[in-house]
Amino acid sequence: MGRKQRKRKQRKHKKIMISKKQGILFLSAFFMMTFLVLLVVYIVGLNRYQSCFLHGTLIDEVDVSGMSIAQLEEQIGQYSLHVIERQADGTVLEEEILGREIGLAYISTEHLQDVLKQQNPYLWFLKQESVYETDTALFYEEDVLEEKIDALRGFQKEFVKEPADAYIGDYIPGKGFELVAENRGNRLNRARTAEAVKEAVGGLQEQVDLEAAGCYEEPKVTLEDAGLKATYGKLQNYVNTVVTYTFGTQREVLDADTVAGWIIRKGNQAELDPELVKEYVNSLRKKHDTIFHRRTFLTSYGEEVTIDQGDYGWWMDVGQETEELIGLLERGESTERIPVYRQTAASFETPDYGDSYVEINLTAQHLFLYQNGECVLESDFVSGNPSRGNETPAGIYGITYKERDATLTGETYRTPVSFWMPFNNNVGMHDASWRSEFGRNIYMTNGSHGCINLPYSAAEEIYGYVEKGTPVICYHLPGTEPEPLPEIPLEPEPETEPVPVIETEPGAGPVTEAGSEPVTESGSEQQAVVEEPPLTEGQ
């Protein structure tokens, strides 16, 4: 290597050494400056946080990070509370209560000073997340705050809408009942509002939502109210239940409008008025019952007679049917039904006695038995003796029951008969084996106590046809009088000597009709007792 080359290499190495020394000096100076800056910052912070609250410090739920007590007091002077209120339409508005207007200030800072003393200022650069609950009391002019509360829009008469309960609207024909939702309104509760506002001020909260704080008067009944729902369901049962009454080919449909008129409502309670339901059932009875109605009857002689006596016909049980109908409406059971009857007839159509009946011409002393419109039997008979006041009454009746081998009991006699068929209380048809003659004018002086005395064979045949309820039509028809007998045979009933009366049941007395027409000892079935006034002609 030459001298020149060695000299160049030495100069290059010397430059590198100088550069390294300069870099080390620069880095040392940088770190020193950084340290000094950080030290200054730390000292400044340390000095500051001798009188300021560390970051993350909450005192009585107020974030006081980096604030001195003086700054905190100054901030309190600038404090404002935003009051969120509900308007009648459900929207909200906001009003403000300023701290300076109510003289808001700390009564004492002693407790705040204690918090500062508890802090470790040397760790000021760390977030402490320290929470303190103190007895530091805020002062405000309470009467001024009360005035501010009273001045809120929510307490102004023109602004307030009262809460309204949910309810069931009136019945609308064709639409039924409708549930009407509650209206919350915006009526503030004064005590709860004052409490919420004071609590917010005391905690230096930025806002208070009066609805969230439960300051509003709320409806007592909402759409979710169980009682309201139950009543609505009951009302729906009432008006949505369709009951169709059938009277043969005729129908009566109970509609919603009618049922709605029976409902008694007290607040959110509802029930049916039983008297109005009964009134409706009674209207059906008046329209469709046939008992005690006047009828025109075409006799076997081709002439018509008017039958205006007797208790045959449809007779609705108004009381029982009222209960049945109320039950259907309460349960919401739509149905087609025949009403409950005390007594039924052969047909819903006219004539209600149908085409199977016993026709008794009291004038002619002759009867006819019809089955399905065909006359299957005719017979003479002997009816009640009018000279003794025992005339057989005219009218239309139903067979009460029938009995074989009965004993008819009178005041002074017992008379056994083979076929007993009562139809009008204790007046009935039966065989009269003691008689040798029937028909003509025998009944005028030697008639029965009111019963229809028949030849044995006729009574037997009639007995085979009739059942309980079979119509018996008795009438007078002038012009059909039979040729009188010149001499009426006196044919007394057998066993006319006095005999002991045999009771029908143990402990029960004998049963006889007016006129002492005998009745059966064992006859347990009697005509139903009338419990309510039946219809009269024209009703």
Side-chain angles (χ1 to χ4, degrees):
M1 180 183 295
R3 180 185 291 177
K4 288 184 179 179
Q5 289 178 328
R6 285 198 299 271
K7 285 183 178 181
R8 284 197 296 271
K9 187 173 181 180
Q10 288 173 352
R11 285 196 298 272
K12 184 176 180 181
H13 179 71
K14 186 176 181 179
K15 288 180 179 178
I16 292 172
M17 292 299 291
I18 292 171
S19 296
K20 286 184 177 180
K21 288 180 180 179
Q22 289 175 339
I24 291 171
L25 289 172
F26 176 78
L27 287 173
S28 296
F30 174 78
F31 283 118
M32 182 61 71
M33 289 298 294
T34 302
F35 174 76
L36 290 173
V37 170
L38 291 175
L39 180 60
V40 170
V41 171
Y42 176 77
I43 292 172
V44 170
L46 178 62
N47 182 61
R48 181 178 179 227
Y49 283 99
Q50 296 293 326
S51 59
C52 292
F53 298 104
L54 296 177
H55 283 283
T57 302
L58 269 72
I59 300 177
D60 298 328
E61 299 183 4
V62 177
D63 188 353
V64 296
S65 299
M67 297 173 61
S68 66
I69 293 175
Q71 289 173 322
L72 182 55
E73 288 183 301
E74 182 181 353
Q75 179 174 313
I76 288 174
Q78 298 172 352
Y79 170 79
S80 67
L81 175 65
H82 296 272
V83 182
I84 311 300
E85 301 170 62
R86 185 174 78 208
Q87 301 193 86
D89 61 1
T91 59
V92 298
L93 63 82
E94 184 177 306
E95 295 188 80
E96 191 176 34
I97 297 176
L98 300 177
R100 65 174 180 272
E101 293 177 341
I102 61 175
L104 185 65
Y106 280 118
I107 296 175
S108 170
T109 61
E110 182 180 348
H111 294 292
L112 300 176
Q113 295 286 355
D114 290 341
V115 172
L116 279 176
K117 290 177 182 178
Q118 293 176 37
Q119 291 187 151
N120 185 354
Y122 295 101
L123 299 177
W124 65 266
F125 52 88
L126 297 176
K127 189 173 183 180
Q128 301 300 306
E129 296 186 358
S130 300
V131 178
Y132 296 92
E133 295 289 339
T134 73
D135 294 328
T136 303
L138 285 170
F139 168 81
Y140 57 81
E141 296 180 37
E142 189 165 351
D143 57 339
V144 176
L145 180 57
E146 293 282 355
E147 291 175 3
K148 291 292 182 182
I149 293 172
D150 287 333
L152 292 173
R153 290 283 305 281
F155 288 110
Q156 308 313 305
K157 185 176 181 180
E158 67 278 3
F159 181 78
V160 176
K161 183 173 183 179
E162 298 291 339
D165 291 343
Y167 66 96
I168 302 169
D170 291 335
Y171 174 78
I172 301 174
K175 293 184 178 180
F177 293 95
E178 180 182 7
L179 274 175
V180 180
E182 69 277 8
N183 191 309
R184 300 182 68 195
N186 63 337
R187 161 67 71 182
L188 282 169
N189 179 286
R190 179 64 173 74
R192 291 200 294 267
T193 302
E195 181 182 356
V197 170
K198 289 177 182 179
E199 183 178 343
V201 170
L204 296 178
Q205 298 172 18
E206 294 183 1
Q207 73 173 36
V208 58
D209 186 329
L210 297 184
E211 181 169 1
C215 296
Y216 286 96
E217 302 286 2
E218 298 292 347
K220 293 182 176 61
V221 181
T222 70
L223 288 180
E224 299 306 312
D225 183 82
L228 184 69
K229 287 182 175 180
T231 300
Y232 180 70
K234 179 184 281 190
L235 289 171
Q236 291 297 88
N237 276 353
Y238 289 159
V239 299
N240 291 335
T241 302
V242 179
V243 179
T244 302
Y245 282 99
T246 60
F247 302 90
T249 58
Q250 299 182 64
R251 276 171 158 65
E252 298 280 354
V253 180
L254 176 59
D255 57 28
D257 291 354
T258 301
V259 175
W262 301 342
I263 299 172
I264 300 174
R265 295 177 59 184
K266 297 178 181 177
N268 280 327
Q269 299 297 314
E271 60 183 16
L272 294 172
D273 185 334
E275 290 304 314
L276 293 178
V277 181
K278 184 177 182 180
E279 192 175 297
Y280 170 78
V281 174
N282 207 35
S283 71
L284 297 180
R285 179 181 74 91
K286 290 179 179 179
K287 186 174 181 180
H288 295 282
D289 271 12
T290 58
I291 189 171
F292 304 119
H293 277 204
R294 180 181 287 118
R295 299 168 177 78
T296 298
F297 174 68
L298 179 62
T299 68
S300 297
Y301 300 87
E303 295 186 38
E304 288 187 344
V305 293
T306 298
I307 307 295
D308 55 9
Q309 299 295 320
D311 60 3
Y312 182 83
W314 295 102
W315 186 8
M316 194 183 299
D317 189 330
V318 173
Q320 186 61 39
E321 184 55 35
T322 297
E323 292 182 14
E324 295 286 336
L325 180 54
I326 289 174
L328 290 173
L329 294 172
E330 293 285 358
R331 296 188 297 273
E333 294 180 15
S334 294
T335 188
E336 189 171 294
R337 69 180 277 106
I338 295 173
V340 179
Y341 283 99
R342 293 175 180 273
Q343 177 177 289
T344 60
S347 173
F348 281 107
E349 311 307 323
T350 302
D352 63 345
Y353 49 81
D355 56 7
S356 296
Y357 53 85
V358 179
E359 176 185 346
I360 298 178
N361 184 342
L362 295 171
T363 302
Q365 293 286 286
H366 193 76
L367 67 73
F368 306 84
L369 174 63
Y370 282 87
Q371 287 294 307
N372 301 318
E374 179 182 354
C375 182
V376 296
L377 177 144
E378 292 186 45
S379 175
D380 288 335
F381 60 82
V382 175
S383 64
N385 189 340
S387 64
R388 295 181 181 175
N390 294 330
E391 183 177 9
T392 303
I396 181 168
Y397 310 91
I399 295 291
T400 310
Y401 63 95
K402 65 179 186 177
E403 184 177 357
R404 285 294 309 268
D405 300 324
T407 299
L408 308 183
T409 305
E411 293 182 358
T412 59
Y413 57 84
R414 288 184 307 170
T415 304
V417 296
S418 297
F419 309 100
W420 171 231
M421 296 162 280
F423 57 81
N424 176 11
N425 292 317
N426 294 319
V427 173
M429 296 179 288
H430 60 78
D431 54 298
S433 302
W434 59 90
R435 292 187 183 275
S436 59
E437 297 280 347
F438 294 89
R440 301 292 191 90
N441 59 340
I442 297 173
Y443 77 102
M444 297 294 292
T445 57
N446 193 23
S448 70
H449 293 88
C451 283
I452 303 297
N453 289 184
L454 292 164
Y456 183 94
S457 59
E460 181 180 27
E461 188 170 353
I462 293 171
Y463 189 92
Y465 278 107
V466 301
E467 299 294 341
K468 179 179 178 180
T470 298
V472 178
I473 305 170
C474 303
Y475 61 87
H476 295 280
L477 181 61
T480 60
E481 295 84 354
E483 182 178 345
L485 289 172
E487 183 178 347
I488 298 176
L490 182 61
E491 297 177 320
E493 296 175 1
E495 302 187 27
T496 57
E497 71 280 7
V499 295
V501 173
I502 299 177
E503 297 180 345
T504 57
E505 295 179 8
V511 181
T512 60
E513 67 159 337
S516 300
E517 176 65 26
V519 298
T520 63
E521 293 175 357
S522 58
S524 59
E525 297 190 42
Q526 301 295 327
Q527 290 285 346
V529 177
V530 177
E531 296 180 4
E532 60 182 74
L535 293 174
T536 59
E537 183 62 32
Q539 286 185 296

